[in-house]
Amino acid sequence: MSKVAGIIAEYNPFHMGHQYQLEETRRQTDADYIVVVMSGNFVQRGEPALFEKSFRISMALLGGADLVLELPAPFASGSAEDFASGAISLLEGLGCVDFLSFGSESGKLWPLQEAAAILASEPASFTDTLKEQLSKGQPYPKAQAAALTACGISPQHSSVLKDPNNLLGTEYLKAIIRQKSRLKPIAVRRLGCGYHDRLPETAETYASASGIRTAILRERETARLQASQIPWQVSPSILSQIPRKLHPIYQSRLLFPLCPDDSSMLLNYQLLACMDRGIPFQEFSDISPELAGRLKRQAFSFQPFSQRIQALKTRQYTYTRISRSLLHIILNIRQEDMDFYRREGYCSYARILGFWRRSAPLLKKIKEQSTIPVIAKASDAPKILSEKEQRLWNQDCCCSHIYQTILQQACKELAADSAAFLPLTNEYSRPLVIL
């Protein structure tokens, strides 16, 4: 019987480290197929994805994935807990995925499992210490580490959660425990630069996705200032960090990268609309009453997305936390929406974005064993999904159309002939990527 491994990813963008994880996953699990659950057009950092998802689907398939499914925007742009819970529920719902592979700075599974067991059960010693630390103004990651130490985990092991991949891996393990999933976790040690490191000088060192994004957006800004044609062909230093199979995508001159500030106009509009209609900001997901008050006092300050985050940032509210909160205002993702999705078991369907033709046996297996609806053709969604399931589907499609709006506006402002290379994509007519 064939083995299937699952990977949860953003591929924002796909790079050499991602290819390594796919190869190592196949080696460690002896998997016949790898299913990737990929964020759509918005990512967990609280930003629009660098590249439109059609390109990233192709990148994932060329990089080693056999099947790519979409993680809906409410989970893709959510907290680490919601991101992990939504993706794990989707993989578990397929009914045929045996392994979950994730990247880890340590590459060691058991310290993360130890922390996940406590996070999943939340004993009194954990919750009391967490509340105490947060009341002292500690950032959540530090408060969480202190709470884990209070539960008997050594400071050395609790400190591993300061690393982003270890932290997210722990959330995956916690979701597996809470959902009683049969997924067997595999931790693949992450290679290369740290999350915030710049692009390395040599191709022998793997760059982080963050470093590649920074380099690409820097080149976009340089092209804009020099009045060069946009989109441009990315530099050799960036291409050196991209698997060769993906180079034709980058060299096609069809890619148009988005930066967070491209969504500034929509955010300013949404803030004004909420103020005019008397909609409290705390109705939106991840916005506390305190953050809502700070945002209300600055609502009439018309500034770029990134500058607004800096103005709202405090010791307790990190840049990423505020970015997610503001993105949820743009996307109209409310607290009540997330509460509803959690009650309904998180991800209530699986949307196919792309696959290799050779993966036909895997698709057949999913069709036979999946416990959630599987959508291959978007126009069939209303026929396949129940009324409750359509709530998530409709919201995700709306989020994708908002991304297209942001993309089109940015293209018109920066590209020489935006209409020639970037037509508006309707989610209901989006073709599958089949290789």
Side-chain angles (χ1 to χ4, degrees), residues 205-403:
T205 302
Y206 291 171
S208 67
S210 176
I212 296 173
R213 284 197 303 274
T214 299
I216 289 175
L217 291 175
R218 188 184 298 119
E219 287 189 2
R220 188 191 99 162
E221 179 63 11
T222 299
R224 183 187 71 82
L225 292 174
Q226 295 177 351
S228 301
Q229 184 176 0
I230 297 178
W232 71 101
Q233 201 158 343
V234 297
S235 65
S237 62
I238 291 175
L239 281 179
S240 70
Q241 295 296 329
I242 306 298
R244 286 191 174 276
K245 290 182 180 179
L246 275 60
H247 286 193
I249 297 177
Y250 280 84
Q251 294 167 332
S252 68
R253 299 185 67 87
L254 294 176
L255 289 175
F256 190 97
L258 284 185
C259 71
D261 283 350
D262 290 326
S263 56
S264 301
M265 186 182 298
L266 269 181
L267 175 62
N268 288 334
Y269 167 76
Q270 286 286 64
L271 293 176
L272 291 175
C274 288
M275 295 291 288
D276 180 59
R277 298 166 188 167
I279 301 173
F281 293 128
Q282 60 263 36
E283 286 190 8
F284 296 93
S285 180
D286 284 335
I287 299 185
S288 66
E290 181 186 354
L291 182 57
R294 292 173 58 81
L295 184 55
K296 186 175 182 179
R297 290 190 291 273
Q298 299 180 18
F300 297 113
S301 176
F302 307 113
Q303 52 193 331
F305 189 89
S306 58
Q307 288 184 22
R308 190 180 293 277
I309 296 173
Q310 292 293 350
L312 292 168
K313 188 175 177 292
T314 64
R315 184 182 179 189
Q316 190 169 7
Y317 293 106
T318 64
Y319 186 101
T320 301
R321 164 72 188 279
I322 297 172
S323 183
R324 278 200 304 269
S325 300
L326 297 181
L327 179 62
H328 292 157
I329 294 176
I330 293 174
L331 301 180
N332 195 30
I333 298 175
R334 312 245 178 161
Q335 299 280 11
E336 63 176 316
D337 295 321
M338 297 308 300
D339 290 341
F340 176 81
Y341 302 143
R342 294 178 192 124
R343 288 196 306 269
E344 294 300 312
Y346 292 94
C347 204
S348 53
Y349 62 84
R351 182 185 185 183
I352 297 175
L353 295 177
F355 58 89
W356 284 93
R357 295 183 189 277
R358 62 173 182 256
S359 302
L362 171 62
L363 296 173
K364 180 181 179 182
K365 189 174 183 179
I366 290 174
K367 184 178 180 180
E368 293 171 348
Q369 300 185 21
S370 179
T371 59
I372 57 177
V374 178
I375 301 168
K377 189 177 179 182
S379 57
D380 288 339
K383 309 169 194 173
I384 298 173
L385 302 178
S386 68
E387 185 177 346
K388 287 184 176 180
E389 292 163 348
Q390 284 188 54
R391 177 170 175 173
L392 177 60
W393 169 264
N394 291 337
Q395 185 163 52
D396 189 46
C397 287
C398 181
C399 291
S400 288
H401 291 145
I402 290 173
Y403 182 94

Side-chain angles (χ1 to χ4, degrees), residues 16-232:
M16 300 293 284
H18 294 135
Q19 180 176 269
Y20 170 79
Q21 185 196 4
L22 283 156
E23 292 171 348
E24 192 65 10
T25 297
R26 214 177 284 274
R27 186 189 68 81
Q28 289 191 30
T29 65
D30 196 29
D32 300 283
Y33 300 103
I34 295 180
V35 176
V36 170
V37 175
M38 190 187 79
S39 299
N41 281 327
F42 294 94
V43 294
Q44 207 257 331
R45 186 171 164 78
E47 300 172 352
L50 183 71
F51 297 129
E52 209 273 342
K53 63 185 174 186
S54 293
F55 296 106
R56 290 168 34 247
I57 299 164
S58 297
M59 292 176 187
L61 294 172
L62 290 170
D66 296 293
L67 170 67
V68 181
L69 305 173
E70 182 169 20
L71 181 63
F75 305 118
S77 67
S79 65
E81 182 176 32
D82 285 331
F83 179 93
S85 297
I88 292 297
S89 70
L90 198 163
L91 285 172
E92 179 65 20
L94 297 179
C96 64
V97 181
D98 305 292
F99 304 95
L100 171 72
S101 171
F102 62 88
S104 162
E105 284 85 0
S106 67
K108 297 178 181 178
L109 192 59
W110 66 269
L112 306 182
Q113 288 178 314
E114 187 182 20
I118 292 174
L119 294 173
S121 59
E122 293 188 346
S125 56
F126 175 84
T127 54
D128 291 346
T129 306
L130 183 66
K131 289 178 182 178
E132 179 186 355
Q133 293 296 314
L134 291 174
S135 68
K136 293 179 180 179
Q138 290 288 356
Y140 188 86
K142 288 188 176 181
Q144 186 185 68
L148 287 171
T149 301
C151 292
I153 294 183
S154 70
Q156 180 182 3
H157 287 167
S158 63
S159 68
V160 302
L161 298 188
K162 74 179 187 300
D163 298 318
N165 289 280
N166 285 340
L167 177 61
L168 194 53
T170 303
E171 289 295 338
Y172 295 147
L173 297 171
K174 184 178 80 174
I176 287 174
I177 294 170
R178 286 186 170 176
Q179 296 179 28
K180 297 180 173 59
S181 170
R182 67 184 188 88
L183 293 170
K184 180 181 178 181
I186 303 291
V188 176
R189 187 180 179 190
R190 187 180 181 278
L191 300 180
C193 297
Y195 180 80
H196 297 290
D197 291 348
R198 290 177 174 270
L199 213 64
E201 295 182 2
T202 64
E204 284 72 28
T205 302
Y206 291 171
S208 67
S210 176
I212 296 173
R213 284 197 303 274
T214 299
I216 289 175
L217 291 175
R218 188 184 298 119
E219 287 189 2
R220 188 191 99 162
E221 179 63 11
T222 299
R224 183 187 71 82
L225 292 174
Q226 295 177 351
S228 301
Q229 184 176 0
I230 297 178
W232 71 101

